[in-house]
Amino acid sequence: MGARRRLKLAVWKFASCDGCQLSLLDCEDELLALAGALEIAHFPEASRAVAKGPYDLSLVEGSITTPHDAERIHQVRRASKVLVTIGACATSGGIQALRNFADVGEWIPLVYATPDFIHTLKTSTPIANHVPVDFELHGCPVDKRQLLEVILATLNGRRPVLAAHSVCFECKRRGTVCVLVADGTPCLGPVTRTGCGAICPAYRRGCYGCFGPLKNPNTAALGERLRILGQSDADLVRAFRGINAGAEAFRRESESHEPR
Amino acid sequence: MPETAVETGVECAIEVADLDPLLGALRERGFTVMGPLLRDGAVIYDEVRSSADLPAGWTDRQEPGSYRLQRSDSPRLFDFTVGPSSWKRFLHPPALRLWQAHREDGGFQVVDVEPPPPRLAFLAVRACEIHAIAVQDRVLLGGPHVDPAYRARRAGLFVVAVQCTRAGATCFCASMKTGPRAGAGYDLALTEVLEAGRHWFRVEVGSERGAEVLAAVPHRAVRPGESAAAERALAGVAEQMGRTMETAGLPALLRRSPEHPRWSEVANRCLACGNCTMVCPTCFCTTVEDTGDLAGRTAERVRRWDSCFSAEFSYIHGGSVRPSIRARYRQWLTHKLSTWHDQFGESGCVGCGRCITWCPAGIDLTEEVRALQASKRRKEDRRADA
């Protein structure tokens, strides 16, 4: 294994807050091993030294919100053997996908003194809408253990082993008392993909759905249950229209609670 | 100190103040005592160090999808029914490192990393829970493939039962014939009696070990009239249960009903979140995850609770065997109440009601079973009319 070639790693940023790439730098105990296993070829947040592609593994953070980025992602794809998107922005469009439900043209003059300088798209969309993606790592931000697993799997030429069940599994394994059942607190845990370690319910908060929807979640049944617990349609629109507003299942559920 | 000969089958009495000596006697014998505690708005099970840890003066109200703690106007210590924890957390842990391997010159070495489990004593085990432990015994110890992790925790387990003096709205152990009275499977069984201003416990001795422990605790013979008082405390519990299930013919009915329209109806409400299986004291399924380190020097295998409600649970090459929620709910209920009989010779349900209370969608398996049975009856009625 010592003879293994060091993989060339690149980290790319699109419309995002940088929190997900920071998760990589946050791998403090593993950083030396990471630097040993990978050649960090392109990672502006970590180093000004930039090596030319092609790259073995590209981690892509952020969503596509500008015409320029819609072009740039194709260059990244061309330069990457394996392309993994990291975080809610890259996998579902992020919080900035709220623009998808409104007219971004109306917002621009409210925010910018000189709207003419702003060249933006009407929507914020995930990377997979633009180029083929080899693996999507969810979360806002991504979980660093999951990120390491993705890197480790790529190093070993296998698929990452990441659970895709509900957050509820994790609450129960941890011994966290269900906030929805015991407190009547609205919680997206039953329809949200695991990965964070079920942090919020452990602090008696409902899950915000940072890791996005499960595969085929029953959001309608949860919406109905939350309505019985006293949530208004407006509350439900907000609950499903958060960090993963652009994820298909959450988008549909939020739209089903909009006034007609 | 002992005022009466203590042996299996004997009834004694202890005062409330003697619970701490009982905990002390268990600790002196090397037991870690797990019992009921208040945490985060529920009665859960964790280590109990003194009787002051017990949820005195608290009770619970349970409904499908809802659990609320309430102050009771009584100093009772065990005035609640079962909560979200079950004892399987300690006997069949939610996460367990099975092994770790280290690369060495030309090979690797496998090392045991889990410390030996503590000797466990459980305080306040209910009749349904004693049966649930027995169900898991048959699954994890009964066949040719014994689970060593379960065996290590289960061996030497000391059980202090508490007889239920009230039942909850989601309880139905009477239907499943697992309660409310614990008749065996315990070392000691307590009946909490609060009558005429006196608060004490009847203690039934269920084993020699129980007798030996009780002998080390201040206790006395049951006085005239006290047995009757304890029986009064237990009276009417079965009738208080908020749920019932007709089990006659149920395994066969479920076998015949894989295409019943009710499965689609319940699938509309089911979140497939897996909570029912996680709180179930008999569900035993696990998965294993293998991980390694970046340097390629260490690998380990961790076993975690899994659930037939996740899509990946039934994943085999090419896809999931049960991709729909309908198929997953049907699998769970049919296994629990029908094919469990074929596999293990009994029902997989003990009637504790946890899956009803802790279902975020409030799905009630007794109602689902009734719906399946009702349409069968309608069919039979039609046949009788014809």
Side-chain angles (χ1 to χ4, degrees), chain B residues 121-275:
Chain B
F122 292 166
L123 172 65
V125 184
R126 307 305 180 129
C128 61
E129 299 181 312
I130 289 175
H131 281 85
I133 293 170
V135 169
Q136 286 213 325
D137 285 353
R138 273 181 281 281
V139 173
L140 299 169
L141 303 177
H145 305 290
V146 167
D147 176 5
Y150 185 85
R151 183 176 56 197
R153 287 158 178 77
R154 179 70 175 91
L157 173 68
F158 193 97
V159 173
V160 182
V162 162
Q163 303 286 10
C164 288
T165 51
R166 63 175 280 267
T170 55
C171 288
F172 60 104
C173 70
S175 298
M176 304 313 290
K177 301 182 178 58
T178 61
R181 182 73 178 262
Y186 56 77
D187 296 293
L188 296 171
L190 309 178
T191 304
E192 184 169 30
V193 185
L194 183 67
E195 199 181 89
R198 288 201 54 240
H199 191 186
W200 57 281
F201 292 94
R202 174 177 66 181
V203 187
E204 294 162 278
V205 179
S207 71
E208 281 179 29
R209 283 196 318 164
E212 191 272 323
V213 168
L214 185 60
V217 176
H219 65 278
R220 58 180 173 75
V222 173
R223 295 181 192 129
E226 282 189 334
S227 262
E231 290 305 318
R232 273 196 297 280
L234 303 179
V237 173
E239 293 72 30
Q240 276 177 27
M241 292 183 192
R243 294 287 182 285
T244 57
M245 188 190 286
E246 175 56 69
T247 57
L250 186 54
L253 171 70
L254 288 165
R255 236 184 347 260
R256 288 196 307 272
S257 311
E259 301 303 330
H260 196 286
R262 184 71 182 190
W263 300 121
S264 299
E265 198 279 330
V266 68
N268 289 336
R269 289 175 281 133
C270 176
L271 300 164
C273 59
N275 274 302

Side-chain angles (χ1 to χ4, degrees), chain A residues 177-235:
Chain A
V177 175
C178 179
V179 299
L180 207 155
V181 169
D183 306 338
T185 300
C187 177
L188 294 187
V191 295
T192 298
R193 175 191 295 269
T194 190
C196 62
I199 299 167
C200 292
Y203 293 91
R204 313 309 300 155
R205 302 289 297 265
C207 168
Y208 293 96
C210 302
F211 278 62
L214 299 171
K215 204 194 260 180
N216 305 323
N218 193 347
T219 50
L222 182 65
E224 176 57 17
R225 189 68 190 169
L226 297 182
R227 210 181 47 71
I228 291 168
L229 287 175
Q231 298 288 293
S232 67
D233 276 330
D235 294 333

Side-chain angles (χ1 to χ4, degrees), chain A residues 58 98 121 129 149 210 231 239 243:
Chain A
S58 275
L98 288 176
L121 297 171
N129 285 21
E149 165 61 15
C210 302
Q231 298 288 293
I243 288 150

Side-chain angles (χ1 to χ4, degrees), chain A residues 11-26 43-46 59-63 69 72 86-90 95-96 139-142 147:
Chain A
V11 181
W12 308 93
K13 175 186 159 63
F14 287 80
S16 62
C17 78
D18 286 37
C20 288
Q21 34 176 321
L22 203 56
S23 299
L24 196 56
L25 293 177
D26 198 26
F43 189 5
E45 187 159 304
L59 301 176
V60 177
E61 177 196 85
S63 67
D69 277 357
R72 187 164 62 100
I86 59 170
C89 299
I95 190 71
Q96 59 273 24
C140 181
V142 293
L147 185 57

